[in-house]
Amino acid sequence: MSDARKTATAIDALRRGWPIAIAGSDGTLALLPIETADPERLAAFDPDGAAPVLLTAGRAATLKLANQLEAAVPDAPVLVERAPWLDFAAATALADPQFDLRTPLKGPFRAIPVEARDAASAALRLARVGGVLPAFFASKAVTADLTLTPADIDAHEDAARLTIATRARLPVSGAEDTEIVAFRTPEMPGEHVALLIGTPNGQPPLVRLHSECLTGDVLGSLKCDCGPQLDAAIRAIAASGWGILLYLRQEGRGIGLINKLRAYALQDQGFDTVDANTRLGFAVDSRNFAVAARMLDLLGQRSVRLLTNNPEKVAQLETAGIHVVERVPHILPANPHNERYLATKRDRTGHQF
């Protein structure tokens, strides 16, 4: 039986720099998060200096580590052997690619076999869920006060746990006839919301899945097209007479605000949005649109017209049991700051403009 409450506690521990343990099917790993810990905590966690560093294959590939059989899977686990020069400062440099151009790495580094692969993979998923860098000191010889399982982490993101919390009338700019519906799970720190625009007419609604983007939606960032897409989607749904905008709390394609800003810093160094994510150690897109399917199901909508340029959204909704009767393109003009970003979405992530 999984316990998603343990994952919420573990996320809090990671953000505070405290050790946790994950018991997988092939062994247990104690883990100390590199981003939020410090040298003193490392000394207490691993006084013998033997704990290797757990990274993702995407990050390890950028460090040119050998034996990268899973290099094509950016979020696969890789263990880096502990060496005398691999202290806390060196591990921090390994974990955070923002500093690659200014921090000379001591090396050499050597990848070693990942024995507790189930636990290691779960640890990297937990880092993403918690919004921290996917990098840990990992040990099979150390114990921790909190132990959870991979099933606990999976339960934390289980779309079936989502329920409607409340709803109210909410006139918005571009669509005055609108109702807002809030959804949450018992453990979720943030809520997903839906805007029901217009009046149901017996036809499949025009639906837009919009992932949260603080920089674009609120601050007017020109690096992406999120803000204009949000405004245009509300207007398009209102013009259609009836539809739903799902506002999904999946900032930065699911890696969180802080890691998205780290990706921005890498883009300033010349990397595109895909390479920035993989250098950080994340998948190209970590979003799970099963959440959107669950929201539509709770709203009683099993067939939709989907306003999107992203075929992956169509595929995930269909897999989750929502019938997409039509994909409606959602195309907006580029600006000088987001031209490369839009080209990358077209050329590397399959968006159809």
Side-chain angles (χ1 to χ4, degrees), residues 272-274 339-350:
D272 66 24
T273 183
V274 169
E339 285 178 336
R340 186 186 181 199
Y341 167 77
L342 295 177
T344 299
K345 289 207 296 185
R346 180 195 65 218
D347 298 337
R348 301 196 64 186
T349 62

Side-chain angles (χ1 to χ4, degrees), residues 226-269:
C226 299
Q229 279 195 335
L230 176 60
D231 295 338
I234 291 173
R235 293 195 301 269
I237 293 171
S240 76
W242 149 239
I244 303 170
L245 184 136
L246 302 183
Y247 195 84
L248 309 174
R249 305 299 293 276
Q250 298 183 347
E251 181 86 47
R253 295 195 191 128
I255 65 175
L257 177 63
I258 300 300
N259 286 321
K260 182 179 85 167
L261 298 183
R262 290 186 173 116
Y264 279 2
L266 290 175
Q267 290 170 33
D268 290 340
Q269 295 177 19

Side-chain angles (χ1 to χ4, degrees), residues 106-125:
K106 297 178 181 179
F109 302 105
R110 188 172 77 90
I112 58 177
V114 182
E115 295 180 358
R117 180 169 290 272
D118 190 30
S121 297
L124 299 176
R125 294 200 303 276

Side-chain angles (χ1 to χ4, degrees), residues 10 15 29 46 56 60 76 81 99 164 213 223 256 281 293 318 323 327-328 344 349:
R15 292 185 173 185
L29 281 180
D46 181 35
T56 67
E81 185 179 41
F99 307 126
I164 293 177
C213 179
K223 287 178 69 72
E318 291 276 3
H323 179 42
R327 184 185 72 83
V328 181
T344 299
T349 62

Side-chain angles (χ1 to χ4, degrees), residues 12 15 20 24 27 69 92 126 130 141 163 174 177 185 193 208 230 239 244 271 282-283 331 333 341 343 352:
D12 181 67
R15 292 185 173 185
I20 63 164
L69 298 180
T92 300
L126 181 64
T163 60
D177 182 16
T185 70
V193 299
R208 171 68 182 168
L230 176 60
I244 303 170
F271 299 101
F282 297 105
I331 300 172
Y341 167 77
Q352 298 173 358

Side-chain angles (χ1 to χ4, degrees), residues 177-202:
D177 182 16
T178 297
E179 180 185 21
I180 187 169
V181 183
F183 305 76
R184 69 182 175 194
T185 70
E187 304 83 19
M188 186 185 298
E191 297 80 22
H192 302 288
V193 299
L195 293 182
L196 278 61
I197 299 171
T199 303
N201 55 16

